[in-house]
Amino acid sequence: MYHRFEENKYPSTNIRMIDFKKHLDLIKNERFAFVNPNKFEESLNNNNNKKVLLTIDDGFSSFYKNAWPILKSNKIPFLLFVSTREVGKYGYMSWDQIQELAQEDFVHIGNHSHTHEYLVDKNSQEIKEDLKKSISIFKKKLGNNSRFFSYPFGEYSNDFKNIVKDLDFKFAFGQHSGVIDNTKDFFELPRF
């Protein structure tokens, strides 16, 4: 799970590009396969090889400027989670940039809520309204909503999880560490 790329004033969510390239080289050298998010479910049921799903949260413009050219030139699959309220604001990708990425068959744009607020503290109605707004914007801007959801700040409650299920998402990611396989709760998926 990545956020910012070469934005060194944010050390807790940033990765230097030299380190990101080392990560990609290590994954390749250790013969891990990059999972295409569009084939995620199929990949869960195939435990015969080592694999990695790259996920990037928030859609910062530093991702588009620094990491996207490398991923694009190597056609490395990834899942980019965006919060619809932030799109186009200073420091974030625009809808044109997101739509450009969405055209590629190795890229999937996932839903990360509308506001990216700490939704665990909100009541059920507020959570539903936030997610329904993001779903509506996804449908308008990308033609459909994603089946992937990433909890803002990686945190969720049972109520929040059930709302995500009820809104027809198929998979939801937290921020706790762990390995994903088909025995995991699909609405509590871990990431490193």
Side-chain angles (χ1 to χ4, degrees):
M1 171 183 52
Y2 298 96
H3 291 82
R4 299 173 185 271
F5 295 80
E6 210 62 56
E7 289 190 72
N8 299 318
K9 65 182 180 179
Y10 301 101
S12 67
T13 56
N14 179 62
I15 186 164
R16 295 177 314 147
M17 286 307 297
I18 191 168
D19 293 328
F20 182 62
K21 290 174 187 175
K22 286 179 184 175
H23 289 185
L24 296 177
D25 287 342
L26 178 67
I27 291 166
K28 288 178 196 171
N29 293 339
E30 292 297 319
R31 296 195 172 112
F32 278 78
F34 289 100
V35 173
N36 186 320
N38 299 314
K39 297 179 181 174
F40 181 70
E41 193 165 9
E42 176 185 316
S43 179
L44 279 176
N45 295 319
N46 175 3
N47 292 323
N48 295 332
N49 58 7
K50 301 184 295 184
K51 51 197 163 224
V52 172
L53 172 66
L54 290 183
T55 66
I56 297 100
D57 281 10
D58 301 328
F60 290 113
S61 53
S62 66
F63 164 76
Y64 185 80
K65 176 183 173 189
N66 297 311
W68 169 233
I70 294 166
L71 298 173
K72 181 180 182 181
S73 67
N74 293 288
K75 293 192 187 289
I76 296 174
F78 64 91
L79 178 52
L80 174 70
F81 289 105
V82 297
S83 299
T84 52
R85 182 184 70 183
E86 309 311 322
V87 175
K89 290 188 176 178
Y90 180 78
Y92 290 87
M93 293 171 61
S94 68
W95 277 115
D96 285 344
Q97 292 168 331
I98 292 167
Q99 290 164 343
E100 173 193 330
L101 271 63
Q103 298 301 311
E104 302 291 345
D105 64 359
F106 59 93
V107 177
H108 187 89
I109 308 301
N111 193 315
H112 198 29
S113 80
H114 176 63
T115 62
H116 198 297
E117 290 180 4
Y118 192 69
L119 295 176
V120 175
D121 285 345
K122 305 290 185 185
N123 66 46
S124 295
Q125 190 57 37
E126 291 171 312
I127 295 171
K128 283 179 196 170
E129 286 174 13
D130 186 282
L131 298 190
K132 284 181 177 180
K133 186 163 189 173
S134 70
I135 290 167
S136 173
I137 294 169
F138 258 72
K139 288 178 177 177
K140 180 180 177 187
K141 296 292 188 177
L142 299 173
N144 63 326
N145 186 39
S146 175
R147 59 195 178 123
F148 295 98
F149 185 78
S150 172
Y151 299 104
F153 305 99
E155 297 188 26
Y156 51 90
S157 62
N158 282 331
D159 187 40
F160 191 176
K161 185 172 110 172
N162 288 328
I163 291 167
V164 170
K165 279 184 191 178
D166 291 344
L167 291 174
D168 293 328
F169 289 97
K170 199 157 186 184
F171 305 100
F173 292 84
Q175 195 166 313
H176 52 291
S177 291
V179 175
I180 296 174
D181 60 41
N182 60 4
T183 66
K184 297 289 189 290
D185 182 329
F186 287 175
F187 292 88
E188 294 182 7
L189 294 172
R191 297 186 285 176
F192 290 102

